[in-house]
Amino acid sequence: MIESISLKFTKRTDPLVVPARGVTIFVGPNNSGKSLLLREFESAFMSNGTSETKIFGDYELQWPEEAQFRSDIEKLKEKAPSDVQLESIYVGRFNSSGSFDAQKLDREALFNIFKQRNKRWMASQFFRFFQIRLDGRTRFDLTNDRPSGDLAGAPVNLFAHIFQDDTLRQEIREIVFDAFGVYLVIDPLNGGNLRIRLSQNPPADDEQSLAKSARDFHQAATHIKDASDGVQAFVGILIAVLSGDFRSILVDEPEAFLHPPLARKLGYQLAATTTKRSGSFMASTHSADFLLGCLQASSQVRVVRLEYSNGKSNGQLVDSDALRKFFKAPLIRSANVISGLFHDGVVVTESDNDRAFYSEIYYRLTENEPGFPSLLFVNAQNKQTIRDIIGPLRAFGVPAAALVDIDILKDGGSTWTGWLKAANFPSAMTGSLGVLRGDLHKRFIDANVDMKLKGVDGLPVQGDKDAVNELFDTLDQFGVFVTRDGELESWLRPLGVTSRKAEWTVEMLQKLGDDPGASEYVRPSNDDVWEFMQRIVAWVRNADRKGMSVGS
């Protein structure tokens, strides 16, 4: 039904056009506009006109063939009350509150406008009945008890529909059992109301009767409102989506209240349903597990990363094949790197020791200074594999900073070129920076200076020091931050930590203290590692930062 949507951002002169067929997942840090985008899309689709929006631009419809259009109308007759006139078309759906939303349209006028390709009228008056949007407030309401109405007539709400449709009820039941190990049933015993129950035992053939066996069965089952928030959220989304012929499904943070395995199952089910219906599913999420579930169920999954920094908005369409390849890499899975899609930025260190120390430093900077970006600290296996992480993340639109020891100067040839490529240096700079790196490395060798122990200040000639710092300043601009005093163990030397490697990290974290109320608790200052971390934060915050791929 939806061919594409276009999004507008302050950092792009042209709108970002996103294909809508299949699954589209919007990711990014908090306040990047993910939820707002879905609301603006629904509002634009429901209204016969244009409304002021911040991110959403416009939509294009995938017009069905007339034969398909007529077939859809014939299906709608099944929902129509007996008193609807032949010249009218009765259009209806179960909306996000679980109630039935319907209207009558003049048959001749509808066909005329369909042939005119008036997309706004068709969307707001007809196609909107094939779209649903669910958010955090509605998913719990969807499991509330509901009046049964006349169960011999047309269903008046979701529960009545599920109660009457044996095939649908069984489909939902199988998915819920796979997720929670319990059987979903609709209990009709509460004086004209229907309620969802969850049973440890499978229902018998007389589950809808008033016989004593059925009464005992429902009484022994758990009312869904006594189940966990995760169960209610999962079931609420599931019954809403499966109970209608929705070709356009919008869900805001579907993973809310769900443990990671359930988020993955829900992603799989929603993506699989979309594929079966040849429709479009759009979701905003902070969950790598939900995203992975979608990728496992459908080959038509695209990711759009949104960003808002210093008053500037941006969006980037992530290459789906590259994302799948990224997910499959053992290093990426073990380090939880993919979660970086949902943060303001990622900081990649050489080892887990580095990660533990730098993340603690960052935590202390954020303790008393609000407004810091959300940063994910991850570690590679060594200095070289940092490049394997920052390159793809930047291609996905994620500001990924590399933290390395000073011996990056030893990385010559293709290794050095690989660093510049991963950090998206312009090709025109590659040759000159390679020559400069080799010359500066030789200065350390000629002066017999151990760069990891002495750092830049170990060079005896001031001009050499200035040249090394200028090179590192250039690397800073592209998000590659070098420990200029040598290595991890060179930080906070006044604390007197003399151990090495893992022992240094353990001793240093102990020296930093764990009680903010104690006098010996180490707080941030304006120099040393604190200043180093502030430079990294400034690069992430800079909406015009260098080192991102084209379009980021």
Side-chain angles (χ1 to χ4, degrees), residues 518-546:
S519 59
E520 62 270 18
Y521 185 80
V522 179
R523 290 175 173 78
S525 63
N526 296 321
D527 58 3
D528 209 282
V529 70
W530 313 104
E531 186 272 335
F532 179 69
M533 187 59 66
Q534 289 281 16
R535 280 191 276 127
I536 297 168
V537 171
W539 180 78
V540 171
R541 279 176 161 168
N542 183 4
D544 299 315
R545 70 186 79 82
K546 295 181 180 180

Side-chain angles (χ1 to χ4, degrees), residues 137 152 163 165 199 232 292 312 346 348 374 379 481 483 520:
R137 292 183 296 273
F163 187 85
D165 191 327
S199 172
Q232 294 183 53
L292 182 56
K312 295 183 178 181
V346 175
V348 189
S374 64
N379 63 276
F481 297 89
T483 307
E520 62 270 18

Side-chain angles (χ1 to χ4, degrees), residues 1 9 12 46 66 71 99 105 153 195 198 206 212 308 319 346 353 377 386 404 461 463 515 547:
M1 183 176 67
F9 303 100
R12 304 177 67 106
M46 295 292 187
E66 185 168 337
S71 174
S99 301
L105 300 174
R195 52 191 172 188
L198 303 171
D206 66 346
K212 184 178 187 304
Y308 185 81
D319 181 83
V346 175
N353 293 325
F377 287 77
I386 291 178
V404 296
V461 179
D515 181 6

